[in-house]
Amino acid sequence: MSPTATLLISCSNQSGLVAKIANFIYANGGNIIHADQHTDFTAGLFLTRIEWQLDGFNLPREFITPAFRAIAQPLQANWQLHFSNTVPRLAIWVSKQDHCLFDLIWRQKAKEFNAEISLIISNHPDLRVVAEQFGIDFHHLPMTKENKSTQEAQQLELLQHYKIDLVVLAKYMQIVSTEFITNFPKIINIHHSFLPAFIGASPYHQAYERGVKIIGATAHYVTPELDAGPIIEQDVARVSHRDDVAVFIREGKDLERLVLARAVRLHLENRVLVYGNRTVVFE
Amino acid sequence: MSPTATLLISCSNQSGLVAKIANFIYANGGNIIHADQHTDFTAGLFLTRIEWQLDGFNLPREFITPAFRAIAQPLQANWQLHFSNTVPRLAIWVSKQDHCLFDLIWRQKAKEFNAEISLIISNHPDLRVVAEQFGIDFHHLPMTKENKSTQEAQQLELLQHYKIDLVVLAKYMQIVSTEFITNFPKIINIHHSFLPAFIGASPYHQAYERGVKIIGATAHYVTPELDAGPIIEQDVARVSHRDDVAVFIREGKDLERLVLARAVRLHLENRVLVYGNRTVVFE
Amino acid sequence: MSPTATLLISCSNQSGLVAKIANFIYANGGNIIHADQHTDFTAGLFLTRIEWQLDGFNLPREFITPAFRAIAQPLQANWQLHFSNTVPRLAIWVSKQDHCLFDLIWRQKAKEFNAEISLIISNHPDLRVVAEQFGIDFHHLPMTKENKSTQEAQQLELLQHYKIDLVVLAKYMQIVSTEFITNFPKIINIHHSFLPAFIGASPYHQAYERGVKIIGATAHYVTPELDAGPIIEQDVARVSHRDDVAVFIREGKDLERLVLARAVRLHLENRVLVYGNRTVVFE
Amino acid sequence: MSPTATLLISCSNQSGLVAKIANFIYANGGNIIHADQHTDFTAGLFLTRIEWQLDGFNLPREFITPAFRAIAQPLQANWQLHFSNTVPRLAIWVSKQDHCLFDLIWRQKAKEFNAEISLIISNHPDLRVVAEQFGIDFHHLPMTKENKSTQEAQQLELLQHYKIDLVVLAKYMQIVSTEFITNFPKIINIHHSFLPAFIGASPYHQAYERGVKIIGATAHYVTPELDAGPIIEQDVARVSHRDDVAVFIREGKDLERLVLARAVRLHLENRVLVYGNRTVVFE
């Protein structure tokens, strides 16, 4: 299987965009294997994802960026270029619960997504044993109100040291500061509710109190406003009066595993494009 | 098919409850066709639904209430008795949208539930034509801030005149006053969101703004606090970045029709028991 | 809102396809509002849907076909061209059940899809009253083993007379002959099971016998082999041991309404492309 | 939390059943924490599950069976009695795929169900490493046409040696002989399709060929007829034309994990009652 290049592009809607981008690939002999576009007429935005095989593409890899910049600049487009054989590096942040961590590790081993899990950070020591079981570096950084900014500085240093591309909050249960997000904005969180219902702590208890008949989970990019970042994926499960909070939590774990894993995979396959506070997911 | 009697009972949890109630039916020769119980250990409550055939039941219908009262009183139980051949009478309240109205009328004609639709009330004249098409009385009661209390008095009078058992707000789009609810508490509403997300006006617009990947609808009993009453039924549908508000509304209509119809049917089959702000749905 | 043109194209996969098609639209000043492509690598097929506004498009409507033929021919492409302001004409075929018929009529009136319901054909007289209620021509053509071929000739004549573009079998409950399908292949059927489970008669009874926990419905194009045509849409609902065949049928009606309506809308919006025995649905 | 006793009872429908069973518990001072009954009117069968706390129950554990036999015999009832603090012992049979195995182990460790995983049997050596990682005995029994009956004898011996209560076929990919099933009938299998669609080998390939829009998984008890045993649980996931067989398989793994885990949990909580070829699931 040939490695591929993927362009994710957004720009103000104008005619000829598809033609210009397709011509660029075609003119250089590229074989497109996925192309999808979306126009948000309310926002006046054109968004596209285009993926082509590098084998047979006449432009050497290092010239693609300058060549496409010449096309993108007059369009005032935002764009990213990714190569499928550059393996992204993940840091997974956890607290005490292991279900999302185990699930991500299993999927990575099963090659459901293409990434290296380079680092696990936790504010508790409990999951060190899992990290060791799978030979992944583990750093225990306990968090208190007092030490938060020094610990976040430490976290940031670790991300740099390990050359991390994406942080996955796999039930990290801590609020990440605005300052941290500004420094490292590529963070996906799993929230254990169907957002925007039940923002904040103990969403399953809140859901039980409200007497809902359906519970949910939401994977989103982290932004300074709590649980309000762009949603990547959501899913739900039916509950009944027979189900108490413990059942909500048990069923919720399955949702969290699935929803977080899908969001991480979609991100790693460069299928997610953020604009404003929303996402386009090119499936 | 024999007519049936149904008891809905809630009382504080204590041993022997199932035996006492089952013995009452058995001792009088009743053939139970549905029995279900639920214990909410947090609330310390026992809740049950029991339905039996009246053919062959030795106790004449008019003596069931006094006979069961003798059992229920020492248990300090709340209970309701319903007979399947007493046909409940519905009033459907609408505004301008016809999808839930059409759907309820079609289901009533298809005998999906056992009730008479006796009355349609609207604050707009638009749906009079539907009422006439199906031969249902229609009353147009325009609502303004100024006339609300006189119009609600008029609504109450109509409910009494038509001997209405249940009011269904089928996209009525008006807030019912606390005073009205106190006088007539049997009201089911369909809210066009997955409550408690997007309470109040324009939930589909709110949902679109938030960039959700799933939309929902919620049927609930109406209480004085807006969109906060006990939930009977909810359902959801997946949406994507391709779907604008108009699509949310179109897909939402299907959800609203299904969720409201299920809630009305469950209520009319005496399968819903409210306690606190939650429901037990004996399916 | 400007009228639009839509091209549905399939051809063997080769490089430059997106560029060639996009250039054709762009060169003539077209503003693309939807473009989606799919490559089936197993079949070696490229499939695309492209929709653009006719306002501002420099090529007069009658010249689009010859102009695009010049592009398509060297590619050996199969293609269709549709204009959004050409309103397709539907014939709905029913038997005795009215739920899908009512639903399609309601959706057409609610403008959920752009089509005229010109004709209702039934092998029973029962639903004439619905046709009359909504002012739609109704033809009663009873079917027996003996008269099948003459009645089908009559049906074909009616389709020609009414200039019908699409036949919707809305619970028609009769098998359409291979000869008929050859003469008029644009037929969508709703089958009341999750195909390929429970092909043929009484699928809900079959499903109940098998003890399934989920029932389904399938909308598909009709082909000579019974219930084996290309699937457009499917959906499912959960059932439990409490649900008997009557409940399967009641819940199934909701599925049938939704699934058939979605399939009809997708077809009418020219979003469905058939190849082999499968469909691409450009949503 | 007090240990509990659970009775699962089925007998021909007759009046007084609920009363008789409830009286038995009540008369001995039992505190019922779950009671549910179902009547299958077509089959003329009454089925019930009743669970009560052993603390405070006056009848010593060893006398419950003879005492209840005196009640059950005149009713000609089939019944089972289970105690919550008798921990069932599982054997998990696998082939090469690890997703269901990992999932069951994780859930057992997370106490989602109450059982000991005592034994893993496989026809391939690949998953020995997983067994060792979690300290579970592993037996490699390669299967060929020739050695099948001797290997099955060996399997049976292992089940006896390890005092196994339930065999879980977690993607075992082998057909178990009728003789084996007769000797050890407590077997749950996960089939990777929405049965009865796509019975037998390569269901995802079959599903892809058929062009379905939804795939499924089914957990069922194993009976001599292939993939035709009583269904415990099913679930489905939506697929699109973009998804090839590899995606069907990836999405299917999530379904298989969830559906098998739910079925195993329901069985271990004594919530599943089989009659004919169907199940009642007392949730």
Side-chain angles (χ1 to χ4, degrees):
Chain A
M1 177 92 179
S2 161
T4 62
T6 299
L7 274 168
L8 282 169
I9 309 164
S10 63
C11 65
S12 67
N13 194 21
Q14 52 203 283
S15 74
L17 288 168
V18 178
K20 280 170 192 167
I21 298 163
N23 284 338
F24 168 71
I25 315 290
Y26 182 44
N28 291 293
N31 187 20
I32 293 174
I33 63 165
H34 179 264
D36 194 3
Q37 36 273 147
H38 174 60
T39 309
D40 181 326
F41 290 99
T42 315
L45 264 184
F46 171 85
L47 309 111
T48 191
R49 178 189 190 276
I50 196 154
E51 181 175 5
W52 70 96
Q53 294 178 324
L54 287 169
D55 288 1
F57 195 60
N58 301 325
L59 209 55
R61 194 178 286 222
E62 63 274 22
F63 292 128
I64 300 178
T65 289
F68 190 72
R69 190 180 294 133
I71 292 162
Q73 216 141 333
L75 303 171
Q76 293 187 283
N78 289 312
W79 57 284
Q80 317 157 28
L81 175 67
H82 301 275
F83 297 113
S84 67
N85 51 4
T86 307
V87 181
R89 296 168 62 85
L90 303 192
I92 303 181
W93 293 19
V94 294
S95 189
K96 290 180 173 179
Q97 294 182 67
D98 65 359
H99 56 287
C100 287
L101 176 62
F102 255 123
D103 193 68
L104 289 170
I105 292 171
W106 175 80
R107 288 179 201 273
Q108 192 268 344
K109 290 195 169 302
K111 301 194 197 310
E112 290 203 1
F113 48 75
N114 178 33
E116 193 180 294
I117 301 175
S118 314
L119 173 64
I120 299 171
I121 292 179
S122 180
N123 56 333
H124 291 284
D126 308 53
L127 300 184
R128 181 184 295 277
V129 59
V130 179
E132 284 171 355
Q133 193 179 2
F134 292 96
I136 304 169
D137 285 6
F138 180 91
H139 290 262
H140 174 213
L141 293 171
M143 301 291 282
T144 62
K145 262 188 191 165
E146 291 69 32
N147 74 2
K148 184 160 184 157
S149 74
T150 51
Q151 295 296 69
E152 286 199 339
Q154 181 66 16
Q155 289 171 330
L156 211 53
E157 213 166 277
L158 282 166
L159 299 187
Q160 279 153 1
H161 176 75
Y162 280 89
K163 298 189 170 58
I164 296 302
D165 296 293
L166 177 70
V167 168
V168 180
L169 305 185
K171 306 288 290 177
Y172 175 57
M173 314 306 273
Q174 295 283 320
I175 294 172
V176 179
S177 77
T178 299
E179 202 196 334
F180 186 94
I181 299 165
T182 310
N183 282 309
F184 193 94
K186 289 269 170 93
I187 310 172
I188 293 177
N189 182 46
I190 180 71
H191 184 76
H192 39 316
S193 90
F194 182 74
L195 286 175
F198 313 125
I199 284 166
S202 297
Y204 292 127
H205 290 80
Q206 291 183 55
Y208 182 81
E209 282 310 308
R210 182 59 189 91
V212 296
K213 300 298 185 189
I214 290 176
I215 55 169
T218 304
H220 63 95
Y221 290 110
V222 173
T223 55
E225 192 184 341
L226 181 65
D227 297 335
I231 293 170
I232 306 167
E233 171 68 349
Q234 302 187 288
D235 211 342
V236 295
R238 207 161 255 279
V239 290
S240 85
H241 61 270
R242 294 209 181 276
D243 302 323
D244 56 18
V245 174
V247 175
F248 279 32
I249 290 172
R250 186 191 72 209
E251 294 295 310
K253 282 179 181 174
D254 283 337
L255 286 175
E256 294 161 17
R257 296 201 294 177
L258 291 172
V259 169
L260 180 58
R262 275 187 222 141
V264 168
R265 181 175 53 74
L266 291 165
H267 175 92
L268 292 172
E269 292 177 359
N270 303 303
R271 297 186 180 278
V272 189
L273 196 40
V274 176
Y275 71 102
N277 200 43
R278 51 202 306 119
T279 61
V280 172
V281 179
F282 294 110
E283 272 178 294
Chain B
M1 176 88 181
S2 161
T4 63
T6 299
L7 274 168
L8 282 170
I9 309 165
S10 63
C11 65
S12 67
N13 194 20
Q14 52 203 283
S15 75
L17 288 168
V18 178
K20 279 170 193 167
I21 298 162
N23 284 337
F24 168 72
I25 314 290
Y26 182 44
N28 291 291
N31 188 20
I32 293 174
I33 62 166
H34 179 265
D36 195 3
Q37 36 272 147
H38 174 60
T39 308
D40 181 326
F41 290 100
T42 315
L45 264 183
F46 171 85
L47 309 112
T48 191
R49 179 188 190 275
I50 195 155
E51 181 175 6
W52 70 96
Q53 294 179 324
L54 288 169
D55 290 0
F57 195 60
N58 301 325
L59 209 56
R61 192 178 287 223
E62 63 274 22
F63 292 127
I64 300 177
T65 289
F68 191 73
R69 190 180 295 133
I71 291 162
Q73 216 141 333
L75 304 171
Q76 293 187 281
N78 289 312
W79 57 284
Q80 318 158 27
L81 176 67
H82 301 276
F83 297 113
S84 68
N85 51 4
T86 306
V87 180
R89 296 168 63 84
L90 303 192
I92 302 180
W93 293 20
V94 293
S95 189
K96 290 179 174 180
Q97 293 181 67
D98 65 358
H99 56 288
C100 286
L101 177 62
F102 255 123
D103 192 69
L104 289 170
I105 292 172
W106 174 80
R107 287 179 201 271
Q108 191 268 344
K109 289 194 170 304
K111 302 194 197 311
E112 289 203 1
F113 49 75
N114 178 34
E116 194 180 293
I117 301 175
S118 314
L119 172 65
I120 298 171
I121 291 179
S122 180
N123 55 333
H124 291 284
D126 308 53
L127 300 184
R128 181 184 296 278
V129 59
V130 179
E132 283 170 355
Q133 193 179 359
F134 292 96
I136 303 168
D137 286 7
F138 180 91
H139 289 261
H140 174 213
L141 293 171
M143 300 292 282
T144 62
K145 261 188 192 166
E146 290 70 33
N147 74 2
K148 182 157 185 159
S149 73
T150 50
Q151 294 297 69
E152 285 200 338
Q154 181 66 17
Q155 289 171 331
L156 212 54
E157 214 166 275
L158 282 166
L159 298 187
Q160 279 153 1
H161 175 75
Y162 281 89
K163 299 188 170 59
I164 296 302
D165 296 291
L166 177 71
V167 168
V168 180
L169 305 185
K171 306 289 289 176
Y172 176 57
M173 313 306 272
Q174 294 283 320
I175 293 171
V176 179
S177 76
T178 300
E179 202 196 335
F180 186 93
I181 298 165
T182 310
N183 281 308
F184 192 95
K186 290 267 171 93
I187 310 172
I188 293 177
N189 182 45
I190 180 73
H191 183 75
H192 38 318
S193 90
F194 181 75
L195 285 175
F198 312 126
I199 285 166
S202 298
Y204 292 127
H205 290 79
Q206 291 183 56
Y208 181 81
E209 282 310 309
R210 181 61 189 89
V212 296
K213 300 299 185 189
I214 289 176
I215 56 169
T218 305
H220 63 95
Y221 290 109
V222 173
T223 55
E225 192 184 341
L226 182 65
D227 297 335
I231 293 169
I232 306 168
E233 170 68 349
Q234 302 188 289
D235 212 342
V236 295
R238 208 160 254 280
V239 290
S240 86
H241 62 271
R242 295 210 181 276
D243 302 321
D244 57 17
V245 174
V247 175
F248 279 31
I249 290 172
R250 185 191 73 210
E251 294 295 310
K253 281 179 179 174
D254 283 338
L255 285 175
E256 295 161 16
R257 296 201 295 179
L258 291 173
V259 169
L260 180 59
R262 275 186 223 142
V264 168
R265 181 176 54 73
L266 290 166
H267 175 92
L268 291 172
E269 292 177 0
N270 304 302
R271 296 186 180 277
V272 189
L273 196 41
V274 175
Y275 72 102
N277 200 43
R278 52 203 304 120
T279 61
V280 172
V281 178
F282 294 110
E283 270 177 294
Chain C
M1 177 88 181
S2 161
T4 63
T6 300
L7 274 168
L8 282 170
I9 309 164
S10 63
C11 64
S12 68
N13 194 21
Q14 52 203 282
S15 75
L17 289 168
V18 177
K20 280 170 192 167
I21 298 163
N23 283 338
F24 167 72
I25 314 289
Y26 182 44
N28 291 292
N31 188 20
I32 294 174
I33 63 166
H34 179 264
D36 195 3
Q37 36 272 147
H38 174 60
T39 307
D40 181 326
F41 290 99
T42 314
L45 264 184
F46 171 84
L47 309 112
T48 191
R49 179 189 188 275
I50 195 154
E51 182 176 5
W52 70 96
Q53 295 178 324
L54 287 169
D55 289 0
F57 195 60
N58 301 325
L59 209 56
R61 192 177 288 222
E62 61 274 22
F63 292 127
I64 299 177
T65 288
F68 191 72
R69 189 180 296 133
I71 291 163
Q73 216 141 334
L75 303 171
Q76 294 187 282
N78 289 313
W79 57 284
Q80 318 157 26
L81 176 66
H82 302 276
F83 298 113
S84 68
N85 51 4
T86 307
V87 180
R89 297 169 62 84
L90 304 192
I92 302 181
W93 293 19
V94 293
S95 188
K96 290 179 173 180
Q97 293 181 67
D98 65 359
H99 56 288
C100 286
L101 177 61
F102 255 123
D103 192 68
L104 290 170
I105 293 172
W106 175 80
R107 288 180 200 272
Q108 191 268 345
K109 289 195 170 303
K111 301 194 197 310
E112 289 203 359
F113 48 76
N114 178 33
E116 194 180 293
I117 300 175
S118 313
L119 172 66
I120 298 172
I121 292 178
S122 180
N123 56 333
H124 292 284
D126 308 53
L127 299 185
R128 182 184 294 278
V129 59
V130 178
E132 284 171 355
Q133 193 180 358
F134 292 96
I136 303 168
D137 285 7
F138 179 92
H139 288 262
H140 174 212
L141 293 171
M143 301 291 281
T144 62
K145 261 188 193 167
E146 291 69 32
N147 73 3
K148 181 156 186 159
S149 73
T150 51
Q151 294 296 69
E152 285 200 338
Q154 181 66 17
Q155 289 171 330
L156 212 53
E157 215 166 277
L158 282 166
L159 298 187
Q160 279 152 359
H161 175 76
Y162 281 88
K163 299 186 170 58
I164 296 301
D165 297 292
L166 178 70
V167 168
V168 180
L169 306 185
K171 306 288 289 176
Y172 175 57
M173 313 306 273
Q174 295 282 321
I175 294 171
V176 179
S177 76
T178 300
E179 202 197 335
F180 186 93
I181 298 165
T182 310
N183 281 309
F184 192 95
K186 290 267 169 97
I187 310 173
I188 293 176
N189 181 45
I190 180 72
H191 183 75
H192 38 319
S193 90
F194 182 74
L195 285 174
F198 313 126
I199 284 166
S202 299
Y204 293 127
H205 290 79
Q206 291 183 56
Y208 182 81
E209 281 311 309
R210 182 59 189 92
V212 297
K213 301 298 184 187
I214 289 176
I215 55 169
T218 305
H220 62 96
Y221 290 109
V222 174
T223 55
E225 192 185 339
L226 181 64
D227 298 335
I231 293 170
I232 307 167
E233 170 68 348
Q234 302 188 288
D235 212 343
V236 295
R238 207 161 254 279
V239 290
S240 86
H241 62 270
R242 295 209 181 276
D243 301 322
D244 57 17
V245 174
V247 174
F248 278 31
I249 291 171
R250 185 192 72 210
E251 295 295 311
K253 282 180 180 174
D254 283 337
L255 285 175
E256 295 161 18
R257 297 201 294 177
L258 290 173
V259 169
L260 180 58
R262 275 186 223 142
V264 168
R265 181 176 54 73
L266 290 165
H267 175 93
L268 292 172
E269 292 176 1
N270 304 303
R271 296 185 181 278
V272 189
L273 196 41
V274 176
Y275 71 102
N277 201 43
R278 52 202 306 119
T279 60
V280 172
V281 180
F282 295 109
E283 271 178 293
Chain D
M1 177 89 182
S2 161
T4 63
T6 300
L7 275 168
L8 282 170
I9 309 164
S10 63
C11 65
S12 68
N13 193 20
Q14 51 202 285
S15 75
L17 288 168
V18 178
K20 279 170 193 167
I21 298 162
N23 284 337
F24 167 72
I25 314 289
Y26 182 43
N28 291 293
N31 188 21
I32 294 174
I33 63 165
H34 179 264
D36 195 3
Q37 36 272 145
H38 174 60
T39 308
D40 181 325
F41 290 100
T42 314
L45 264 185
F46 170 84
L47 309 112
T48 191
R49 180 190 189 276
I50 195 154
E51 181 176 5
W52 70 96
Q53 294 178 324
L54 287 170
D55 289 359
F57 195 59
N58 301 325
L59 210 55
R61 193 178 285 224
E62 62 273 23
F63 292 127
I64 300 177
T65 288
F68 190 73
R69 190 181 294 133
I71 291 162
Q73 215 140 334
L75 303 171
Q76 294 187 282
N78 289 312
W79 58 284
Q80 318 158 25
L81 176 67
H82 301 276
F83 298 112
S84 67
N85 51 4
T86 307
V87 180
R89 297 168 63 84
L90 304 191
I92 302 181
W93 293 20
V94 294
S95 189
K96 290 179 174 180
Q97 293 181 68
D98 65 358
H99 56 289
C100 287
L101 177 62
F102 256 123
D103 192 68
L104 289 170
I105 292 171
W106 175 81
R107 287 179 200 273
Q108 191 268 345
K109 289 195 169 302
K111 302 193 196 311
E112 289 203 0
F113 48 75
N114 178 34
E116 194 179 293
I117 300 176
S118 314
L119 172 64
I120 299 171
I121 292 178
S122 180
N123 56 332
H124 291 284
D126 308 53
L127 300 184
R128 182 185 294 278
V129 59
V130 178
E132 283 170 355
Q133 192 179 2
F134 292 96
I136 304 169
D137 285 6
F138 180 91
H139 289 261
H140 174 212
L141 293 171
M143 301 292 280
T144 63
K145 261 188 192 165
E146 290 69 33
N147 73 3
K148 182 158 185 157
S149 73
T150 50
Q151 295 296 67
E152 284 199 339
Q154 180 66 17
Q155 289 170 329
L156 211 53
E157 213 165 279
L158 282 166
L159 299 188
Q160 278 153 2
H161 175 75
Y162 282 88
K163 298 188 170 59
I164 297 301
D165 297 292
L166 178 71
V167 168
V168 180
L169 305 185
K171 307 288 290 174
Y172 175 57
M173 314 307 271
Q174 294 283 322
I175 293 172
V176 180
S177 76
T178 300
E179 202 197 335
F180 186 94
I181 298 165
T182 309
N183 281 309
F184 193 95
K186 290 266 169 94
I187 310 172
I188 293 177
N189 181 44
I190 180 72
H191 183 76
H192 39 316
S193 90
F194 181 76
L195 287 175
F198 313 125
I199 284 167
S202 299
Y204 293 127
H205 290 79
Q206 291 183 56
Y208 182 81
E209 281 311 308
R210 182 60 190 90
V212 296
K213 300 298 185 188
I214 289 176
I215 56 168
T218 304
H220 63 95
Y221 290 109
V222 173
T223 55
E225 193 185 339
L226 182 64
D227 298 334
I231 293 170
I232 306 168
E233 171 67 349
Q234 302 188 289
D235 211 343
V236 295
R238 207 161 254 280
V239 290
S240 86
H241 62 269
R242 294 210 182 276
D243 302 322
D244 57 16
V245 174
V247 175
F248 279 32
I249 290 171
R250 186 192 72 210
E251 295 295 310
K253 281 180 181 174
D254 282 337
L255 285 175
E256 294 161 18
R257 296 200 297 177
L258 290 173
V259 169
L260 180 59
R262 275 186 222 141
V264 169
R265 182 176 53 74
L266 290 165
H267 175 92
L268 292 172
E269 293 177 359
N270 304 302
R271 296 186 180 278
V272 188
L273 195 41
V274 175
Y275 71 102
N277 201 42
R278 50 203 305 121
T279 61
V280 172
V281 179
F282 294 109
E283 272 179 293

